């Protein structure tokens, strides 16, 4: 679950970037894997979602949001779940090394 305490407040201006997303109107199933999806099916779906993100005018805002709230599921800002987890892990290692 995303860390909701990290979410911006309920002010429309903080969320307006989502209105410009290249993913608007796309099937959400492209960005969020079904239960038990693995292997080539998951890699192909992720690649298709990341391809949409590549041309997105709000990619940076989307990625920043996903990393800030630690979105655990889906493709956000052109990053898969595994890619975001790698960023979180790197951050934890750097913090522990102090």
């Amino acid at each position: 679950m995303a860390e909701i305490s990290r979410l911006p407040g309920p002010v429309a201006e903080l969320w307006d970037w989502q209105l410009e997303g290249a993913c608007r109107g796309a099937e959400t199933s492209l960005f969020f894997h079904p239960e038990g999806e693995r292997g080539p099916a998951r890699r192909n779906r992720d690649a298709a979602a990341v391809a949409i993100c590549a041309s997105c005018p709000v990619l940076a805002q989307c990625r920043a949001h996903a990393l800030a709230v630690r979105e655990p599921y889906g493709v956000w800002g052109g990053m898969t779940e595994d890619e975001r987890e790698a960023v979180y892990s790197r951050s934890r290692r750097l913090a522990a090394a102090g």
Side-chain angles (χ1 to χ4, degrees):
M1 173 181 264
E3 293 184 26
I4 59 173
S5 64
R6 296 176 185 249
L7 290 172
V11 178
E13 291 80 24
L14 298 175
W15 298 97
D16 279 350
W17 60 267
Q18 293 181 351
L19 298 173
E20 303 301 319
C23 60
R24 283 189 58 88
E27 290 292 323
T28 57
S29 61
L30 183 60
F31 295 88
F32 297 92
H33 67 83
E35 184 75 28
E37 181 185 57
R38 288 178 178 50
R42 186 164 184 169
R43 284 191 300 275
N44 291 339
R45 185 196 41 73
D46 280 347
V50 168
I52 290 173
C53 295
S55 65
C56 186
V58 295
L59 182 135
Q61 294 96 317
C62 184
R63 180 175 291 177
H65 162 79
L67 292 171
V69 302
R70 295 181 165 273
E71 282 289 349
Y73 304 112
V75 172
W76 289 79
M79 295 180 81
T80 66
E81 296 169 12
D82 292 339
E83 290 168 334
R84 288 192 311 280
E85 187 54 45
V87 170
Y88 306 148
S89 293
R90 225 176 359 261
S91 295
R92 285 191 295 270
R93 283 193 307 275
L94 290 173

